[in-house]
Amino acid sequence: NNFSVNWKLKTDGIFNATPLVTNEILIVPDLNKKFYYVDRTNGKVLKTFELEGRSKLTPVIKDGKLFIGFDNGRIKAYEMLK
């Protein structure tokens, strides 16, 4: 309630889209052709994924698939990790 910082995350990426927030993780896209699964409680990167292009949109989850939009106008669907 006092807006104090709970944790910080440093990557080599440039963030140009808002992360997707789930109950357990944040899915954070960056312009360096990656996205990150980040633990919401402590800010630790759980997994880093390489992409075929630069992501530009906030990711979306639907029916167990993660949808990522790219700056070349394409959207791709990925299987979600458990």
Side-chain angles (χ1 to χ4, degrees):
N1 291 335
N2 64 5
F3 294 101
S4 62
V5 175
N6 290 317
W7 52 262
K8 292 181 181 182
L9 174 63
K10 173 90 170 108
T11 69
D12 293 326
I14 298 170
F15 301 124
N16 196 34
T18 56
L20 171 65
V21 180
T22 71
N23 289 334
E24 295 87 26
I25 62 171
L26 302 173
I27 300 174
V28 183
D30 77 13
L31 288 178
N32 287 344
K33 300 181 181 179
K34 296 179 187 170
F35 70 92
Y36 305 91
Y37 277 21
V38 179
D39 187 298
R40 276 182 54 162
T41 59
N42 59 25
K44 290 185 181 178
V45 175
L46 303 173
K47 185 92 173 148
T48 301
F49 296 92
E50 299 284 331
L51 297 169
E52 300 85 22
R54 297 181 341 160
S55 59
K56 291 285 276 191
L57 302 172
T58 300
V60 175
I61 296 174
K62 175 72 174 157
D63 297 329
K65 295 197 178 0
L66 176 66
F67 293 87
I68 304 253
F70 294 89
D71 66 354
N72 64 2
R74 293 187 176 195
I75 296 176
K76 293 192 177 187
Y78 299 88
E79 294 292 329
M80 286 289 298
L81 292 181
K82 303 288 181 195

